[in-house]
Amino acid sequence: MTRDLERILGFLAELDKLKAVLRQTRPSGFERRENSAEHSWHVCMAAWTLAAQAREHIDVTRVIEMLLVHDIPELDCGDHFVYTRGLDVQEAERRAARRIFGMLPEAIGTRCLERWEEFEARQSPEAVFAYAVDRLLPLLHNLENGGHTWREHAVPLEKVLAFNTPIGDALPDVWAEVRQRILSLRDEIWPAK
Amino acid sequence: MTRDLERILGFLAELDKLKAVLRQTRPSGFERRENSAEHSWHVCMAAWTLAAQAREHIDVTRVIEMLLVHDIPELDCGDHFVYTRGLDVQEAERRAARRIFGMLPEAIGTRCLERWEEFEARQSPEAVFAYAVDRLLPLLHNLENGGHTWREHAVPLEKVLAFNTPIGDALPDVWAEVRQRILSLRDEIWPAK
């Protein structure tokens, strides 16, 4: 076996662990929480099918590559609730990304790390779009289950709206629609005290 | 909301169900079985990182698109153990593929269906490669857990070797390595009667 192949097989075995990293949201109709591996697949499908709705033309292949790797540092760091994720977590994830993608042969490892860094920086149209889609899916799950995560963590309406507004940077029609859905559930999810 | 957007959001909600479709294999170190959504992500990462090992040059983007959709018909049909999957299952999956991708706007729905059909036909170098990678992952899981699925279903050594030989069509070095690993576990997994 070549050294490259040995490294790739080691990396692929390591990836299994992402199937045990649990997120805050539950898929629609599920009692259990979602894991980051199945989320990563779902968000790639969302990006691919929503690409024609993007505000500007994007390279879908690069978006999908970003989304395939975007949660891999959680192998070391776990999932952090997006509404409270701090700078210390970002730094720990950067170290994790270097360690994990460093398991791969250099050419492909560098490519994965570049995609992860591009996603984190949110500068390119592709990264802005990928981030929007990554925000969208848990929002749809919350709309379908009565704002479960928001209520559990007492996230106020204003914070949900402010935090998800970047969806509109890449997908204005989608944001207009889901914003309206959030507001229509205002009394149910955030009853007046 | 446009009709296209309504269709895409309906499709994305439908996809959640793939997270409840259980496969025969267990990820390394897991008690629970793997679901088809997390597998779909894992196999995309395997294809991307193994592409440089392929026997001939392949378009990785098309491979990843095939692997993102390859199990989606299981939404209607469930997962079928590869060693016993019959022609009736293939026909039911074809009907399911038409129904599910038919939920999408025509352009993207047709693209998804084309990728699924290409994967199933196993004619193009990309499809042969995608199929090889899809066979490889459960084989690696079985090698790591003592041939669990093979023993549970009493799959003989000869059938495991014959069935997985197509891995070598696309990834000869990988097949040489895993074939050797299978043979090295022969006495443990298939003890003489």
Side-chain angles (χ1 to χ4, degrees), chain A residues 9-21:
Chain A
L9 296 183
F11 173 82
L12 293 176
E14 183 85 356
L15 291 190
D16 261 341
K17 296 176 190 161
L18 201 64
K19 300 167 190 171
V21 174

Side-chain angles (χ1 to χ4, degrees), chain B residues 100-115:
Chain B
I100 301 161
F101 299 131
M103 296 177 73
L104 285 168
E106 194 177 343
I108 180 68
T110 302
R111 176 89 167 264
C112 288
L113 186 60
E114 280 171 3
R115 293 292 182 265

Side-chain angles (χ1 to χ4, degrees), chain A residues 78-124:
Chain A
D79 181 60
H80 288 83
F81 192 43
V82 283
Y83 290 89
T84 53
R85 179 170 174 256
L87 285 175
D88 53 330
V89 173
Q90 282 181 284
E91 204 35 61
E93 288 183 348
R94 178 156 286 112
R95 281 195 301 275
R98 291 201 187 110
R99 179 192 78 77
I100 301 161
F101 299 130
M103 296 177 72
L104 286 166
E106 192 176 343
I108 180 67
T110 303
R111 175 87 167 265
C112 289
L113 186 59
E114 280 171 1
R115 293 292 182 266
W116 183 81
E117 293 278 6
E118 182 178 354
F119 178 81
E120 283 294 302
R122 287 178 218 155
Q123 296 299 312
S124 66

Side-chain angles (χ1 to χ4, degrees), chain B residues 81-107:
Chain B
F81 193 41
V82 283
Y83 289 89
T84 54
R85 180 171 174 256
L87 286 176
D88 54 329
V89 173
Q90 282 181 283
E91 203 35 61
E93 287 184 347
R94 179 157 286 111
R95 282 195 301 275
R98 291 200 187 113
R99 179 191 79 75
I100 301 161
F101 299 131
M103 296 177 73
L104 285 168
E106 194 177 343

Side-chain angles (χ1 to χ4, degrees), chain A residues 23-92:
Chain A
R23 295 158 51 77
Q24 292 298 328
T25 48
R26 290 162 169 76
S28 303
F30 285 54
E31 286 298 312
R32 70 166 175 86
R33 284 155 67 191
E34 187 177 37
N35 73 58
S36 292
E38 61 197 359
H39 158 73
S40 295
W41 164 76
H42 203 176
V43 80
C44 286
M45 285 304 302
W48 191 18
T49 53
L50 283 166
Q53 312 279 323
R55 185 197 291 267
E56 53 186 311
H57 178 77
I58 47 162
D59 175 350
V60 187
T61 295
R62 220 165 79 232
V63 172
I64 289 175
E65 289 177 357
M66 274 186 241
L67 289 169
L68 283 174
V69 300
H70 82 296
D71 274 345
I72 287 180
E74 294 179 3
L75 288 178
D76 289 355
C77 307
D79 181 60
H80 288 83
F81 192 43
V82 283
Y83 290 89
T84 53
R85 179 170 174 256
L87 285 175
D88 53 330
V89 173
Q90 282 181 284
E91 204 35 61

Side-chain angles (χ1 to χ4, degrees), chain A residues 1-2 4-5 8-9 11-13 15-20 26-28 30 32 34-42 44-46 48-50 53 61 64-69 72 101 104-105 108 111-112 115 136-137 140-141 144 173-174 177-178 181, chain B residues 1-2 4-5 8-9 11-13 15-20 26-28 30 32 34-42 44-46 48-50 53 61 64-69 72 101 104-105 108 111-112 115 136-137 140-141 144 173-174 177-178 181:
Chain A
M1 179 164 63
T2 66
D4 275 3
L5 181 52
I8 297 168
L9 296 183
F11 173 82
L12 293 176
L15 291 190
D16 261 341
K17 296 176 190 161
L18 201 64
K19 300 167 190 171
R26 290 162 169 76
S28 303
F30 285 54
R32 70 166 175 86
E34 187 177 37
N35 73 58
S36 292
E38 61 197 359
H39 158 73
S40 295
W41 164 76
H42 203 176
C44 286
M45 285 304 302
W48 191 18
T49 53
L50 283 166
Q53 312 279 323
T61 295
I64 289 175
E65 289 177 357
M66 274 186 241
L67 289 169
L68 283 174
V69 300
I72 287 180
F101 299 130
L104 286 166
I108 180 67
R111 175 87 167 265
C112 289
R115 293 292 182 266
L136 177 65
L137 284 188
L140 293 175
H141 285 145
E144 282 159 20
D173 294 348
V174 174
E177 170 64 24
V178 294
R181 289 193 195 179
Chain B
M1 179 164 61
T2 66
D4 276 3
L5 182 52
I8 298 167
L9 295 183
F11 173 81
L12 293 176
L15 291 189
D16 260 341
K17 296 176 191 162
L18 202 65
K19 300 167 190 171
R26 290 164 170 74
S28 303
F30 285 54
R32 69 166 176 86
E34 187 177 36
N35 73 59
S36 292
E38 61 198 0
H39 158 74
S40 295
W41 165 75
H42 203 176
C44 286
M45 284 303 303
W48 191 18
T49 53
L50 283 166
Q53 312 279 322
T61 295
I64 289 175
E65 289 177 356
M66 275 185 240
L67 290 169
L68 283 174
V69 300
I72 287 180
F101 299 131
L104 285 168
I108 180 68
R111 176 89 167 264
C112 288
R115 293 292 182 265
L136 178 65
L137 284 188
L140 293 175
H141 285 145
E144 281 158 22
D173 294 348
V174 174
E177 170 65 24
V178 293
R181 290 192 195 180

